[in-house]
Amino acid sequence: MAASFRPDIQGLRALAVGGVVAYHFGLTALPGGFAGVDIFFVISGWLITTHLMQEIGETGRLDLWRFYARRAQRLLPAALFVILVTLAAGYFILAPQEQALYSRGAMFASAYAINLWLLRWSFDYFAADATSNPFIHFWSLSVEEQFYLAWPALLLLAAWLRPGRRMAVAVIGVAGLASFAACLWLTSAAPAWAFYFSPLRAWEFAGGGLATLAPVTLPRHRAWLRPAFGWLGLALIAAAYLLLSEDLPFPGWYALLPVAGTVLVLLSGAGAEYTGKQTNWQALGPAAALSLWPLQWIGTLSYSLYLWHWPIIVYAQMLAPNLTVPQRLGCVVLTLALSAFTYHLIENPARRGAWLTAGARAFPDSIPGARPVRAFPGLVLVPALVLTGAGVAVGYANAHLATRNIGPEQRGIQQAAEQPSIARAVDKTCLLDSRTVTPKPCVFGATDAAHTIVLFGDSHADHWSTPLIEAARRNDTKVVTYLKSSCRASRLSTFNAVLKRDYTECDAWRELAIADIIRRKPRLVVISEFSIGNLTRDMPAASRAAEIARWQAGLRSTLQAFSQAGIETAVIRDTPINTSFVDSCVARALWWRAAPSLCDTPRADAANDSTAATERAVVKSVPDTLYVDLTDHFCGPAACHVVIGGKLAFRDRHHLATAFAETLEGPLERALF
């Protein structure tokens, strides 16, 4: 075992990958397990800075070609193997259009640029539909590889300005502070950029780099500081795992918890070479716990574990949407088995072999008369470029093959899911974004129509615009829409999952919209909104009851505002919510040659009947208010259906597909006119 080996770092790796796997496998006790990635970033900053500064100190230069070749030797073979197996399994599990999309993700993952691809397509790591992307976890590996490209240049700059640790600390410190400041700003202004863009994560690597350059004089003379640093660091990591959640703005300030915790644990073992023995103070620190063999074993497998765990859980949830605890444990066992296989037969042999760093000489000495000539240094990267190119080529070929497999039925599903409502087809800004406060009324129908009705609410009001506008036209009525994304008509302050904070813009917009609607004096206001039952179903009973009571008061307040102004109101019961994303699920079912009913959801899970009964009671308590319930057009006594009359009923989990919404014009007309 090398003298530089740090078993506490190996244990930290185990904690990092354990948190990520626990979070992705649905362990609700660790809602902040995703912060394990930040631990990896700090460890990488520590190790890479240590190695590079040592080489600069000994030689005054860096062999960048050798450095990049060693990184490729360490990371590429296992990553490419997992990518290829994931693509092969995806052929049998994913629908062709999903194969085409995610094969492009595999291309970018092979080139360690998938974080940039995710930014291009605005994939939210915490969004529900991210769970169908089997390559999304490669974003962190891409950030790390991009760090490897830039970091040596930064250290060389510091050495050029002035050799020594002080200048390196100054340069890394300035870069880290700039990165952290930009990350703080963009965590609220552009969360996806703060999460995925490598320069905005550089401060986490810088934290590890600064830690390895920090003087160890104080802990050396105050030995009790070592265990204190270590246990405080582990406490901060535990706090991150237990207290963070996907509802908080991340990374931002909250990322300081895992980053600072990791830095402290690393500092607690700094300057103490591994000898198999411990001083009294070291024995009191966390190194002994982190050195336990289970953590050492997990830490050894951590890279392969990270690569395998995500595609396994993604595909498992597609094959069995409601995974039981034994099934999840089975996924854990499969992940460990594949990780051990990959480590022992691919990752470790590749790391120890010399074939990925071949090319030191252009000609072998055995060629008669050949004079040994130093090859171009960049030749050491040729094997790495071949592996990367192979991954990109296979991803491209797979995407092309998948596109050819998209038949008429599959294409019809895709088109049905992509077709916008009538309101958004005319002007997509009729459904306002999260940050806009000023209402934008959109008018549909003849300006000289005899009557006016208003459609008011969130995106669940928007999908009713399709049948409502046509029904209104047939009754000499124009429709004016007041729509805002994720903003209920009910006077209820809510949390916005995109903004990661209270949705104050919604509260302001709602009051302005209500006042504007009352000034219009329409014949009728039609309200629809995302059911509160969808948000409260997993809450504890006490919290759920309190939230339902708040919502009842908010709904009643909105209805009374219109009633007191002499305006009639109709509330359309919300559509069912499905277990899966309907468009993807039906496309997969067709690919598997199964019936679309495979994607139906039991009515007890989908229809929110108890919440609807509460809503109906509130509506009946307010004069001049009508309750419209069209649920029987979606659901039978036992199940809610995803394909009705040969048409896709929903474009995702709970929004109506426009072509199916058109078929509801008659029932809606009879209810309202």
Side-chain angles (χ1 to χ4, degrees), residues 229-486:
F229 280 178
W231 289 116
L232 177 58
L234 286 185
L236 291 176
I237 291 172
Y241 281 7
L242 294 171
L243 301 178
L244 297 182
S245 75
E246 60 191 48
D247 291 332
L248 295 173
F250 195 86
W253 289 106
Y254 291 104
L256 285 173
L257 275 175
V259 169
T262 307
V263 166
L264 287 172
V265 174
L266 292 171
L267 286 174
S268 73
E273 293 182 346
Y274 179 71
T275 62
K277 298 179 181 180
Q278 293 179 316
T279 66
N280 290 335
W281 284 115
Q282 284 176 311
L284 293 175
L290 292 172
S291 300
L292 294 173
W293 75 262
L295 290 179
Q296 294 298 294
W297 184 64
I298 295 295
T300 300
L301 298 180
S302 59
Y303 181 55
S304 291
L305 275 170
Y306 186 82
L307 291 174
W308 276 118
H309 84 282
W310 182 244
I312 286 174
I313 195 64
V314 165
Y315 287 161
Q317 289 177 329
M318 289 178 180
L319 296 171
N322 296 307
L323 288 174
T324 63
V325 172
Q327 288 172 328
R328 290 180 185 273
L329 290 175
C331 290
V332 172
V333 172
L334 178 60
T335 300
L336 288 171
L338 287 173
S339 300
F341 172 86
T342 304
Y343 174 77
H344 289 293
L345 296 183
I346 297 174
E347 181 185 344
N348 207 31
R351 186 173 70 246
R352 296 189 176 189
W355 64 276
L356 265 175
T357 52
R361 289 178 178 271
F363 304 103
D365 295 336
S366 59
I367 299 177
R371 180 182 177 184
V373 179
R374 287 292 296 179
F376 175 63
L379 286 178
V380 298
L381 287 179
V382 169
L385 293 175
V386 169
L387 285 182
T388 298
V392 173
V394 172
Y396 178 82
N398 203 65
H400 183 69
L401 174 64
T403 302
R404 296 184 62 179
N405 286 333
I406 301 176
E409 283 186 303
Q410 299 279 358
R411 203 173 303 280
I413 292 169
Q414 187 175 4
Q415 291 170 349
E418 293 173 351
Q419 184 180 358
S421 67
I422 286 183
R424 286 184 294 113
V426 172
D427 184 349
K428 64 180 181 180
T429 63
C430 287
L431 179 65
L432 297 180
D433 60 29
S434 299
R435 298 182 183 276
T436 304
V437 171
T438 304
K440 178 180 179 177
C442 293
V443 181
F444 301 89
T447 55
D448 59 349
H451 306 286
T452 299
I453 62 175
V454 166
L455 179 62
F456 178 36
D458 54 19
S459 60
H460 278 225
D462 167 64
H463 63 203
W464 286 110
S465 68
T466 298
L468 180 62
I469 289 171
E470 182 57 26
R473 184 190 63 79
R474 291 162 55 89
N475 288 272
D476 195 19
T477 301
K478 65 183 177 185
V479 175
V480 182
T481 63
Y482 288 80
L483 307 170
K484 181 172 172 63
S485 178
S486 302

